[in-house]
Amino acid sequence: QVHLVESGGGSVQAGGSLTLSCAASGYTSSNYCMGWFRQAPGPGKEREVVAGIGSDGSDDSTSYTDSVKGRFTISRDNAKNILYLKMNSLKPEDTSMYYCVADFRLAPSTSCSVRSAWYLEVRGQGTLVTVSS
């Protein structure tokens, strides 16, 4: 079972930037989809997968939800077992708890799209991002 630990969250003003990191351990292969999902504070808020990346970490394997496209960049370093999310031009509506997720069910080369049916239970503890206006 892979163990995921996020870091890098914090409080920034609108227009600012943050980079989240997720260290993965406990699994010898990198042959699985990884992604980031978020859940805004408050009751009834749904989880939203904002970025996904395939096992090879190529740009072609990345996928973003429309609301973050052009502002967020996902990447992974398989040698170091670290997943990143670079977030630029942050908006107050980006305020959420962000979670790193590993999905072993999706095809790791072709199905790491944000539109796939991600299994979100293999995740880290989350890191809070707060964007003030």
Side-chain angles (χ1 to χ4, degrees):
Q1 179 78 336
V2 69
H3 182 59
L4 304 172
V5 179
E6 302 96 336
S7 61
S11 297
V12 296
Q13 290 192 325
S17 298
L18 283 173
T19 297
L20 307 183
S21 299
C22 171
S25 61
Y27 197 72
T28 57
S29 170
S30 60
N31 195 33
Y32 51 91
C33 292
M34 294 197 79
W36 292 91
F37 76 90
R38 65 188 181 186
Q39 188 169 24
K45 300 294 185 179
E46 295 190 355
R47 297 181 292 187
E48 177 188 26
V49 177
V50 297
I53 189 167
S55 55
D56 66 357
S58 66
D59 289 343
D60 288 345
S61 77
T62 60
S63 173
Y64 302 92
T65 194
D66 287 345
S67 62
V68 309
K69 203 171 292 183
R71 300 188 297 122
F72 289 12
T73 302
I74 187 172
S75 61
R76 65 191 291 176
D77 185 334
N78 287 336
K80 296 181 179 178
N81 294 320
I82 300 178
L83 178 73
Y84 300 98
L85 186 68
K86 172 69 172 172
M87 305 184 294
N88 293 326
S89 302
L90 282 162
K91 304 176 181 180
E93 52 263 42
D94 294 317
T95 294
S96 282
M97 187 71 82
Y98 284 74
Y99 299 87
C100 165
V101 61
D103 193 310
F104 296 85
R105 303 182 180 190
L106 298 173
S109 299
T110 59
S111 298
C112 304
S113 167
V114 294
R115 287 168 289 280
S116 296
W118 286 74
Y119 180 70
L120 300 180
E121 300 310 309
V122 181
R123 65 181 189 273
Q125 81 289 349
T127 187
L128 181 62
V129 172
T130 303
V131 185
S132 57
S133 58

